[in-house]
């Protein structure tokens, strides 16, 4: 099983590496752009009315009012919190904020919006997006440029009876309709599914640090992806509702499109839907083109001017951002830049790290445990750190058990697995299992003696050839059931051999 | 503050070409599809004619010289009308009374396609 997994991983890496390769003429093989929709989860009310945004788990259509239900004669009024959030996001991404901005009406007939239009923003037809430009770093010195940032309302949730295709009607829950969203549109700067995931991860971490977004809320970040492969046309993938699915959906699309192209078939311009259950993309019937949305400035809302004063006020309360935090981890705790980058890639992980430090954990080994073994275990289980049973107290204790020589690195890995699975404290597991690392040379010496007396031939050989030395080290490790530090076992065996050699020659 | 850009008709994606104010049958059909409406052939003919006339009538606006005039986005000379982020509950049952078809607490809508 582990073997198959490793192989699969290797294959995946190979595919990704290939995807990252440039064509002969320097043009990237794959070009990806994203449109990310983020719910401003720190806001208590919808974008244009005072309905509560706390809709998760609520009965359908309980968080609705005449405004978000599009009753005639009602008027929307902008939630000022959304403007402040958007300013914060724009500042954090280095975007330039429009001093005067407008809402636009996007017209379409679909039941997810009871008004038959969505109030959004637009960069044409007299529209002015909230902010333009800026970028997000995705590691390795690469940046993904931001095209624009807009504020808009979330549509309602559609429920189908049976499947999308066979459902005789659509059931709609408007609790989500009108929730404040920020739309972040990138330039087509990503060249692999992995880069797209990195972008989303780093964007998510920035938004989390700003406090405008809570990553633990299901469906709070969704995105559409545009992908074109050399030799094909641009394909849009809609309905990617989780952060992890972006990589899956894009990888699926690359395989599908490359398959078509290799068989001499055409990849035409189309919109596809990501089916997260079947983990495939499916073609959508003809949809409206952009010009069919008949955007025009929203007559029910007055324009918004953003003053320097307001920007300065928001700037003054900006919390620490991942990039600054990374610097802090490097400078204050001596964490290597790459490890620090992984830590701040998730606010939850960075917070977890600092919580452990408060419990006096040794920063460097701690950082390695968090970004190495723990992260790998969580990835394997496909859960996030806050969904796991591991707490800072667990990790701080584990790190100190290793530091005090009670656990060897190898034993600690096993204990960590148990911690992740059961949520029990490491010290408890150590006591129950009678684990104890053989950390002192004294206790190792006895074992070396025993191994040497049990294998006199091998000792003779070992005085002459290296291979037999390794055999003896192996026997010592086996006798300690892996609880000894391999380096220490190595040294103990060699030291004993030297003693024998010098006593023979003397 | 950066000066507002002047807009030309061409920047409105829906605007028709200069001098062409006819709405053909195909366009009426497309508009009907966007509005999810079924039109009979007779209606298509009638709307094609009427919409063309309406558009022709609005062409008069083009005669006004708007050079150097700021675009009007709103008839009121207001900006920044905001609301505090404080939740208020509305009796949802009241709103649901206006819903034509329901299934449980869900609003029932026709399939689109």
């Amino acid at each position: 099983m582990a073997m198959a997994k490793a192989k699969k991983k290797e294959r995946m890496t190979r595919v990704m590496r290939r995807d990252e390769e440039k064509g002969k003429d320097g043009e990237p093989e794959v070009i990806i752009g994203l449109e990310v929709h983020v719910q401003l989860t720190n806001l208590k009310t919808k974008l244009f009315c005072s309905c509560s945004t706390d809709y998760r788990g609520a009965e359908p259509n309980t968080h609705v009012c005449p405004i978000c239900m599009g009753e005639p004669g009602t008027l929307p009024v902008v939630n000022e919190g959304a403007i402040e959030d958007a300013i914060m996001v724009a500042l954090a991404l280095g975007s330039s904020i429009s001093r005067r901005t407008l809402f636009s009406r996007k017209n379409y007939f679909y039941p997810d919006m009871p008004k038959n239009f969505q109030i959004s923003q637009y960069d044409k037809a007299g529209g002015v997006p909230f902010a333009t430009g800026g970028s997000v770093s995705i590691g390795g010195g690469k940046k993904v440029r931001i095209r624009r940032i807009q504020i808009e309302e979330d549509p309602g949730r559609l429920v189908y009876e049976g499947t999308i295709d066979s459902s005789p009607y659509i059931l709609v829950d408007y609790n989500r309709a009108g929730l404040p969203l920020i739309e972040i549109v990138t330039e087509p700067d990503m060249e692999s599914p992995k880069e797209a995931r990195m972008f989303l991860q780093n964007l998510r971490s920035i938004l989390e640090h700003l406090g405008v977004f809570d990553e633990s809320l299901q469906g709070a970040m969704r995105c559409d992806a545009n992908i074109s492969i050399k030799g094909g046309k641009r394909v849009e993938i809609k309905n990617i509702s989780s952060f992890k699915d972006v990589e899956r959906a894009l990888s699926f699309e690359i395989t599908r499109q490359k398959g078509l192209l290799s068989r001499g078939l055409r990849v035409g311009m189309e919109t596809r839907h990501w089916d997260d259950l079947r983990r495939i993309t499916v073609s959508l019937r003809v949809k409206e083109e952009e010009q069919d949305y008949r955007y025009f400035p929203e007559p029910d809302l007055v324009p918004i001017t953003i003053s320097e004063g307001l920007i300065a006020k928001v700037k003054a309360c900006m919390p620490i951002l991942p990039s600054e935090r990374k610097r802090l981890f490097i400078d204050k705790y001596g964490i290597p830049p790459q490890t620090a980058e992984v830590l701040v890639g998730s606010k939850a992980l960075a917070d977890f790290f600092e919580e452990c430090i408060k419990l006096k954990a040794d920063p460097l080994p701690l950082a390695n445990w968090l970004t190495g073994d723990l992260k790998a275990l969580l990835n394997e289980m496909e859960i996030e750190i806050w969904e796991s049973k591991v707490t800072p107290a667990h990790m701080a204790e584990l790190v100190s058990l290793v530091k005090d020589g009670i656990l060897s690195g190898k034993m600690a890995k096993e204990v960590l697995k148990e911690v992740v699975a059961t949520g029990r404290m490491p010290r408890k597991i150590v006591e129950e299992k009678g684990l104890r690392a053989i950390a002192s040379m004294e206790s190792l010496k006895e074992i070396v003696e025993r191994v040497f007396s049990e294998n006199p031939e091998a000792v003779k050989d070992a005085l002459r050839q290296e291979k037999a030395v390794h055999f003896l080290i192996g026997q010592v490790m086996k006798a300690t059931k892996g609880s000894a530090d391999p380096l220490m076992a190595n040294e103990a065996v060699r030291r004993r051999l030297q003693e024998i050699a010098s006593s023979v020659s003397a | 503050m950066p000066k507002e850009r002047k807009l030309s008709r061409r920047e409105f994606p829906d605007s028709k070409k200069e001098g062409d104010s006819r709405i053909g049958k195909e366009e009426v059909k497309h508009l009907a599809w966007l509005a999810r409406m079924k039109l009979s052939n007779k209606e298509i003919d009638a709307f094609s004619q009427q919409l063309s006339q309406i558009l022709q009538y609005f062409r008069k606006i083009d005669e006004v010289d708007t050079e150097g005039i700021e675009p009007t986005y709103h008839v009121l000379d207001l900006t920044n009308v905001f609301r505090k982020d404080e939740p208020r509950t509305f009796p949802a049952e009241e709103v649901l009374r206006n819903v034509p078809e329901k299934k449980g607490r869900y609003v029932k809508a026709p399939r689109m396609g």
Side-chain angles (χ1 to χ4, degrees), chain A residues 221-352:
Chain A
M221 186 188 248
R222 306 186 295 273
C223 82
D224 302 337
N226 283 301
I227 177 166
S228 39
I229 289 183
K230 220 172 167 186
K233 287 260 165 46
R234 191 174 59 121
V235 171
E236 186 177 9
I237 314 169
K238 292 213 170 257
N239 186 47
I240 307 175
S241 59
S242 91
F243 167 79
K244 285 172 196 141
D245 273 358
V246 165
E247 199 170 358
R248 285 190 192 122
L250 287 168
S251 298
F252 176 88
E253 238 348 78
I254 290 172
T255 311
R256 188 188 70 85
Q257 292 184 24
K258 284 197 169 163
L260 285 176
L261 292 170
S262 71
R263 277 177 283 147
L265 298 170
R266 221 171 56 87
V267 175
M269 188 123 104
E270 66 169 332
T271 301
R272 299 178 72 85
H273 175 96
W274 170 245
D275 182 334
D276 58 357
L277 288 178
R278 289 186 289 166
R279 292 190 178 172
I280 56 169
T281 65
V282 283
S283 187
L284 286 179
R285 64 205 172 289
V286 203
K287 268 204 76 175
E288 280 101 329
E289 299 283 327
E290 184 175 88
Q291 57 181 14
D292 291 335
Y293 288 130
R294 293 153 290 158
Y295 281 98
F296 59 84
E298 171 57 61
D300 285 346
L301 290 166
V302 297
I304 292 167
T305 57
I306 311 284
S307 67
E308 289 295 340
L310 180 58
I311 295 175
K313 196 185 116 198
V314 173
K315 207 179 226 165
C317 337
M318 286 274 277
I320 186 167
L321 290 171
S323 51
E324 299 162 56
R325 214 169 176 194
K326 179 181 159 189
R327 185 80 350 251
L328 183 84
F329 286 179
I330 295 169
D331 295 344
K332 192 169 167 192
Y333 304 122
I335 307 298
Q338 272 190 329
T339 311
E341 174 107 27
V342 178
L343 285 174
V344 302
S346 149
K347 180 172 184 285
L349 189 62
D351 289 348
F352 193 102

Side-chain angles (χ1 to χ4, degrees), chain A residues 44-46 49-50 60-61 71 78-80 161 164-165 167 169-170 172 291-292 294 299 303-305, chain B residues 4 14 30 34-35 73-74 79-80 82-88 95 98 103 105-107 109 111-112:
Chain A
K44 296 183 189 74
T45 67
K46 291 187 177 180
C49 63
S50 302
N61 297 309
E71 296 287 341
V78 177
N79 181 346
E80 68 178 355
E161 302 246 294
I164 274 194
D165 303 316
S167 182
Y169 43 78
I170 300 175
V172 200
Q291 57 181 14
D292 291 335
R294 293 153 290 158
I304 292 167
T305 57
Chain B
E4 196 79 47
D14 275 351
H30 182 64
L34 288 176
Y73 294 113
H74 205 277
T79 54
N80 299 1
F82 296 134
R83 172 177 57 79
K84 290 249 174 277
D85 184 32
E86 288 159 3
R88 269 208 326 258
V95 200
N98 288 339
K103 179 158 187 187
R105 285 203 66 93
Y106 284 102
V107 174
R111 267 184 62 112
M112 296 282 130

Side-chain angles (χ1 to χ4, degrees), chain A residues 56-118:
Chain A
R56 286 177 174 82
E59 287 278 294
N61 297 309
T62 46
H63 293 47
V64 290
C65 77
I67 297 172
C68 57
M69 287 298 272
E71 296 287 341
T74 57
L75 282 176
V77 186
V78 177
N79 181 346
E80 68 178 355
I83 304 296
E84 282 163 19
D85 279 7
I87 292 174
M88 255 206 287
V89 173
L91 288 173
L93 303 187
S95 311
S96 92
I97 299 167
S98 305
R99 291 301 181 264
R100 188 168 192 275
T101 187
L102 295 166
F103 281 99
S104 289
R105 196 176 278 195
K106 177 182 181 179
N107 299 280
Y108 66 97
F109 272 54
Y110 206 69
D112 62 2
M113 267 305 180
K115 299 192 289 279
N116 281 328
F117 58 83
Q118 177 195 30

Side-chain angles (χ1 to χ4, degrees), chain A residues 125-139:
Chain A
V128 185
F130 191 83
T132 52
S135 65
V136 171
S137 297
I138 55 167

Side-chain angles (χ1 to χ4, degrees), chain A residues 17 70 359:
Chain A
R17 217 173 285 140
L359 299 172

